Amino acid sequence: MKQSKLMCALGLALAATTLSTAAMAQEGPNPNRVWVKFKSGAGVSANAANARSGLAAPANLGQRIQALRGKLSAAKAGDAELNYQFDRSNTAVMTLSSPEAVKALRANPDVESVEIDQPRYLQAQSVPYGIDQVQARNVWDANRDGVLDTGAANGSGIKVCIIDSGLNKGHEDFAGMTITGYPTGWDTDTCGHGTHVAGTIAAANNNVGVVGVSPGKVSLHIVKIFGSNAYNGSDHGQCSWTYSSTLADAAQRCQAAGAKVINMSLGGPSASTAERTAFQTVADAGVLSIAAAGNDGDSSQSYPAGYASVVSVAAVDSSNVKADFSQFTPKVELAAPGVDVLSTYPLKNDPLVVGTSSFAAIPVAGSKQATASAGWVNGGLCQTSSSTWRNKIVVCQRGTNTFVDKITKAKSGRAAGVVIYNNVDGPLAIGLYTGTAPNLSATTTTLPAVGISKVDGEYLVANLAGKTATVDATPSVANSAYETMSGTSMATPHVAGAAAVVWSAKPTATAQQVRDALDATALDIDAAGRDNNTGWGLVQIPAAIAELQSQ
């Protein structure tokens, strides 16, 4: 089922990896490195191995580890490299060769539990690839070779208004910034989208996390129209949609707050005459509005990006190739990085716990933000509900019917919660921003639900019958989390931040002059001249500054 274009334009959570602090190193942590807790007692398998070798003494932890490694090898599940041995707690840390080896490890009779060896990061800062792709550091990083002398061209003195799902103001990468907002609750973000967008624009140049296009220099005004505490017709705080009237009112609030640039990583499929007039009025007042072109991957037009008074932004990858999801229309004006963009994130995910086993889980966007604990039942593909699901956690396999239909069927069976596991390798991130079917509709669901990987789901179904499962779909606030997301939502803040940096080089310039400078100097990366895929091309900040200052 195809989701609405509003949700598409909100951004694609294609690779949801929440990081505890700084960005992943080039060679990331191994997901098959795990903590292994052995059952109390001597160990059945290890003592059997002792008996075969003529040893009468009970197996110690080291012998149990060796027996376990031998069993994995005999089962052709690969070797288990021993990293650490903790005799006092009867645990070891081992690196397995594959997810299948982890699965085999969980099934070993001497093993009580297996959990991921969670990564910890040096408190250091990384530069997302998009920052250099738009050449932001070429104008404000004095330590960079060839940096231009552009005076105070770093975004200082320019206010950017972000109309989105709010902001986790307490995040470490916004410390010390000038940030205001509306309504009460604007400084929280239960959806994650707004905080991610804000980080691309303004994450501070400090020793943690990431850095933005205008690192900690622009001032921000946040108008929250999605998520909890959103205002005026936002359907009681859901993360997926709002009304054009709410958007028009938000734009006027941005103008009233003194913003020069508005970022809108959102959109919808139909034009509105009243909304068009509202954005033209804002433009006439000297405000530059920038919006996502949309993520349907076709030639349909999204709004407000389709209005003449709004800059429409397409997404490209790290090789300057148009993203396959990026809509291509005659209104596309500029392009910016929008594939696998690392930025600030306000939430962290709690694991799915079944018995004593824990599994990495990602809450289903739009599901009820709650925790449910109960016995679990295998629902298969969850195509039809069952009376046996009552007050149970239903485990569903991905496939055939949509995610939202599976959750609806579980609700009909009066289930307490839902777990959906992948039918292909890898984690399952089920979000309102994925842009690929099957998907959630714009309607939120009324059960807590999480997604887990294929190998974890298969292990759960095969080995953990009769255990209690705890599903936690409640967002946990994290002030030091980062996440990779994709979409024209991620491209748009690169352009908004660039506009602020360029404008700060000549504060007396008009919004139209800034827009013209960005267009005239964009790097042509597709068909010669302006094209529907990437517009005039990839934003280039130094050249745009030079163009603006020459006027």
Side-chain angles (χ1 to χ4, degrees):
M1 135 182 135
K2 190 174 186 180
Q3 63 181 12
S4 75
K5 292 178 185 173
L6 174 73
M7 293 186 295
C8 284
L10 281 172
L12 305 165
L14 298 178
T17 305
T18 302
L19 308 182
S20 60
T21 53
M24 301 276 280
Q26 286 190 0
E27 185 175 344
N30 189 338
N32 300 319
R33 176 166 163 150
V34 294
W35 285 87
V36 183
K37 182 171 178 58
F38 289 84
K39 292 179 179 178
S40 58
V44 176
S45 297
N47 276 334
N50 275 3
R52 287 193 298 272
S53 61
L55 297 176
N60 59 30
L61 180 59
Q63 291 171 326
R64 296 177 75 177
I65 292 170
Q66 288 302 108
L68 180 64
R69 296 179 67 182
K71 191 168 184 179
L72 288 172
S73 179
K76 297 182 178 180
D79 190 20
E81 176 189 350
L82 176 64
N83 302 108
Y84 294 104
Q85 179 176 322
F86 298 91
D87 293 273
R88 291 183 181 180
S89 59
N90 215 28
T91 58
V93 176
M94 308 175 81
T95 299
L96 287 299
S97 57
S98 68
E100 288 69 28
V102 177
K103 181 179 178 180
L105 184 64
R106 292 184 190 274
N108 188 282
D110 286 343
V111 172
E112 178 178 313
S113 64
V114 177
E115 65 173 318
I116 297 169
D117 190 5
Q118 297 290 352
R120 298 294 180 261
Y121 297 90
L122 181 69
Q123 294 293 308
Q125 177 178 271
S126 70
V127 180
Y129 76 91
I131 303 304
D132 285 340
Q133 225 163 315
V134 299
Q135 299 186 327
R137 288 196 297 168
N138 287 21
V139 299
W140 49 253
D141 187 350
N143 295 319
R144 189 168 177 81
D145 291 340
V147 66
L148 302 180
D149 182 10
T150 56
N154 56 19
S156 295
I158 306 297
K159 181 177 288 187
V160 177
C161 186
I162 302 173
I163 303 175
D164 213 292
S165 61
L167 175 78
N168 176 13
K169 188 173 180 289
H171 195 285
E172 62 184 0
D173 246 331
F174 300 119
M177 287 188 59
T178 301
I179 310 176
T180 55
Y182 176 88
T184 301
W186 64 266
D187 51 357
T188 62
D189 182 7
T190 56
C191 304
H193 195 264
T195 301
H196 195 279
V197 165
T200 295
I201 295 172
N205 188 10
N206 48 26
N207 65 344
V208 297
V210 296
V211 62
V213 176
S214 171
K217 300 301 182 181
V218 296
S219 58
L220 297 179
H221 186 72
I222 309 299
V223 182
K224 185 172 186 173
I225 63 172
F226 300 108
S228 60
N229 299 315
Y231 80 100
N232 194 22
S234 292
D235 196 43
H236 306 292
Q238 64 167 293
C239 297
S240 58
W241 65 275
T242 189
Y243 294 102
S244 63
S245 58
T246 302
L247 184 57
D249 181 74
Q252 291 179 354
R253 292 180 184 277
C254 291
Q255 176 193 334
K260 286 185 173 290
V261 179
I262 297 176
N263 186 98
M264 294 175 288
S265 292
L266 49 83
S270 300
S272 161
T273 300
E275 184 186 49
R276 185 195 310 270
T277 300
F279 277 102
Q280 186 59 56
T281 301
V282 169
D284 292 342
V287 179
L288 181 58
S289 296
I290 302 169
N295 299 328
D296 273 353
D298 57 26
S299 60
S300 60
Q301 181 60 61
S302 182
Y303 298 91
Y307 302 137
S309 60
V310 178
V311 176
S312 176
V313 181
V316 297
D317 63 16
S318 59
S319 298
N320 289 339
V321 176
K322 184 190 82 70
D324 57 4
F325 55 76
S326 188
Q327 284 167 233
F328 43 94
T329 78
K331 295 295 186 180
V332 169
E333 188 167 337
L334 290 168
V339 177
D340 293 337
V341 175
L342 182 67
S343 188
T344 47
Y345 204 70
L347 308 170
K348 62 181 178 180
N349 300 328
D350 294 311
L352 167 70
V353 178
V354 184
T356 58
S357 298
S358 62
F359 305 92
I362 300 173
V364 175
S367 67
K368 184 178 181 180
Q369 294 179 0
T371 300
S373 186
W376 68 271
V377 60
N378 186 359
L381 288 169
C382 294
Q383 293 178 273
T384 58
S385 60
S386 170
S387 60
T388 63
W389 296 358
R390 184 179 179 128
N391 298 325
K392 300 286 187 180
I393 304 298
V394 181
V395 177
C396 307
Q397 184 183 32
R398 178 184 182 182
T400 307
N401 55 331
T402 64
F403 298 134
V404 72
D405 185 55
K406 295 179 190 295
I407 298 171
T408 300
K409 291 295 191 298
K411 179 66 176 178
S412 298
R414 306 184 73 175
V418 179
V419 176
I420 302 176
Y421 66 95
N422 216 342
N423 57 3
V424 295
D425 291 339
L428 182 60
I430 311 171
L432 292 174
Y433 315 131
T434 55
T436 55
N439 209 332
L440 284 175
S441 71
T443 305
T444 55
T445 59
T446 55
L447 288 179
V450 298
I452 62 174
S453 70
K454 177 176 181 285
V455 68
D456 284 346
E458 290 175 343
Y459 175 82
L460 190 164
V461 169
N463 298 284
L464 298 178
K467 304 294 185 181
T468 297
T470 300
V471 172
D472 191 347
T474 304
S476 299
V477 175
N479 292 329
S480 57
Y482 299 84
E483 184 166 302
T484 298
M485 296 176 71
S486 296
T488 52
S489 277
M490 285 61 254
T492 305
H494 281 92
V495 177
V501 172
V502 171
W503 210 332
S504 69
K506 188 177 180 180
T508 57
T510 66
Q512 188 60 52
Q513 287 175 322
V514 173
R515 182 175 183 175
D516 290 344
L518 292 170
D519 291 349
T521 58
L523 178 64
D524 197 347
I525 55 177
D526 206 285
R530 200 219 142 263
D531 60 80
N532 289 355
N533 285 333
T534 60
W536 293 108
L538 178 70
V539 168
Q540 302 288 274
I541 294 175
I545 289 175
E547 174 69 19
L548 185 64
Q549 290 179 329
S550 71
Q551 297 177 11

